[in-house]
Amino acid sequence: MNNKKKAMIYAILAAAFYAINIPVSKLLMYEAPPMMLAGFLYLGAGLGMGLLLTLKKAGGRLEKERWLERSDMLYTIAMVVLDIAAPIFLMFGIKYTTSATVSLLNNFEIVATSVIAFAIFREKISKRLCLAIAFVMLSGILLGFEGTAGWMINKGALFVLAACICWGMENNCTRNISDKSSEQIVLIKGIFSGIGGICIAILAGEGLPEPLLLLRIMLLGFVSYGLSINFYILAQHTLGAAKTSAFYAVAPFLGVGFSFLLVGERPGLQFYLALLLMAVSTGVMIRDTLGNEKLYEGYTHTHAHHHGKLVHTHAHHHFVYNPMHIHNHSH
């Protein structure tokens, strides 16, 4: 198998590992409270990334890494705080609505990131991306209301939108430290955001899950956030940021498929209309990303989001910044 095919497999694995997080979290929520679940998912990602860094150090593969400095402290703290809030909102979203709906609504992060980038950092937004954002918003409106009981507001969808806004703000903070080691950034956000989320859960009266359940939660966090990022980076080294993010764009749709298979969800017509709109928006964003591929040459990228002139990271993994670059969030 040549390097390009191997990189394509890495990119799809990155998307699949992230996509499985939402339906499996839905199942784990029957045994673990939402805030505790969010905290230990991130902690698992941080500890797993720490293990990967240890293995890389033992193999002498960290010589070229650029590490965070004291001048990066403000943006690092903002990143951690936002990554405490976002997964908690996401878990409540998973609790109160279907995991298929949550998977699709994660694309609203594109809107949040782009609008914040335009309003605060004066980043330009292409016409095609504006069209894609419009489709995402229409899809979000459909998913934001439940088609029963007189079109009541979907409480779970509101929590997911709150998570996406937090991650949109976090993306714009992380852009300022995007030239530093992506593994170190994920390690820091995983450990400190995880511990912060666990402390909030304890203060809110949530009990600690049983040890075996904790191991399962942290393993999911390591796979869905840590390994997802790692495979994304491996794919990007060969394919480049734009092509890798285009492959990663299947993540929300894989999330829907996993929700059908693992959770047994069968949404109504309203969901499928939203799915169609989201598919159109994703196609437009992929075309916009690949059409602007030259903007991304010379940069390295980590994770799933929609931006491009800079390099950027999230677990929910990203380190390329520009609202004209697409990829989804693995937080």
Side-chain angles (χ1 to χ4, degrees):
M1 184 182 297
N2 61 38
N3 288 338
K4 188 172 182 180
K5 288 182 178 179
K6 194 179 295 185
M8 290 165 61
I9 291 173
Y10 286 150
I12 294 171
L13 281 175
F17 283 168
Y18 174 63
I20 204 168
N21 169 55
I22 291 172
V24 175
S25 292
K26 182 80 170 180
L27 295 173
L28 288 172
M29 208 165 287
Y30 291 110
E31 304 175 75
M35 288 189 285
M36 199 65 75
L37 179 58
F40 277 105
L41 282 171
Y42 258 54
L43 186 61
L47 293 176
M49 192 56 67
L51 176 62
L52 288 179
L53 279 172
T54 301
L55 293 174
K56 280 190 173 185
K57 184 176 181 180
R61 292 182 289 167
L62 294 179
E63 289 82 359
K64 295 181 180 181
E65 293 286 348
R66 291 192 63 192
W67 305 107
L68 291 170
E69 302 169 352
R70 183 174 295 181
S71 58
D72 301 316
M73 183 69 70
L74 180 61
Y75 292 111
T76 303
I77 292 173
M79 174 188 74
V80 168
V81 171
L82 289 165
D83 274 327
I84 291 172
I88 291 175
F89 284 135
L90 181 67
M91 291 303 123
F92 277 109
I94 293 172
K95 179 179 180 178
Y96 291 118
T97 192
T98 65
S99 58
T101 294
V102 175
S103 296
L104 281 189
L105 277 175
N106 266 340
N107 268 349
F108 190 79
E109 184 185 333
I110 308 163
V111 177
T113 300
S114 301
V115 170
I116 293 169
F118 175 76
I120 298 177
F121 295 100
R122 300 294 183 237
E123 295 285 347
K124 294 181 179 179
I125 300 179
S126 69
K127 291 181 180 178
R128 276 190 297 219
L129 186 60
C130 287
L131 178 62
I133 288 172
F135 281 120
V136 171
M137 293 184 71
L138 285 173
S139 179
I141 290 170
L142 282 175
L143 295 171
F145 292 89
E146 296 172 329
T148 59
W151 287 79
M152 299 294 291
I153 291 177
N154 185 337
K155 181 168 63 173
L158 295 181
F159 278 114
V160 178
L161 295 179
C164 289
I165 291 170
C166 287
W167 273 319
M169 294 171 64
E170 187 264 352
N171 293 342
N172 283 280
C173 289
T174 308
R175 72 189 284 267
N176 292 282
I177 53 175
S178 60
D179 58 332
K180 304 300 169 63
S181 166
S182 60
E183 288 96 339
Q184 185 191 21
I185 292 174
V186 176
L187 170 65
I188 289 173
K189 66 167 60 183
I191 296 293
F192 290 101
S193 298
I195 291 174
I198 292 166
C199 290
I200 291 174
I202 292 173
L203 290 173
E206 292 187 353
L208 285 169
E210 296 180 355
L212 288 179
L213 179 57
L214 280 182
L215 288 176
R216 287 157 55 196
I217 294 170
M218 288 194 289
L219 179 61
L220 174 63
F222 173 53
V223 170
S224 294
Y225 298 155
L227 286 183
S228 175
I229 297 170
N230 195 50
F231 279 123
Y232 195 100
I233 296 169
L234 290 173
Q236 181 188 266
H237 286 167
T238 300
L239 298 177
K243 285 189 174 71
T244 303
S245 66
F247 278 105
Y248 196 94
V250 303
F253 306 101
L254 289 176
V256 170
F258 288 142
S259 298
F260 291 173
L261 290 173
L262 298 177
V263 188
E265 295 176 350
R266 295 295 182 269
L269 177 62
Q270 184 178 328
F271 173 85
Y272 292 102
L273 290 174
L275 179 65
L276 177 61
L277 287 171
M278 204 66 79
V280 171
S281 73
T282 300
V284 172
M285 287 185 291
I286 289 173
R287 186 172 179 181
D288 185 70
T289 297
L290 296 180
N292 290 282
E293 186 173 2
K294 290 183 179 181
L295 291 176
Y296 317 127
E297 292 178 358
Y299 295 97
T300 48
H301 172 109
T302 307
H303 170 90
H305 284 276
H306 320 66
H307 5 277
K309 287 185 180 175
L310 276 173
V311 184
H312 158 112
T313 317
H314 191 223
H316 144 235
H317 309 351
H318 14 276
F319 301 100
V320 178
Y321 184 80
N322 180 322
M324 297 191 330
H325 168 56
I326 92 165
H327 69 278
N328 285 312
H329 216 207
S330 307
H331 318 291

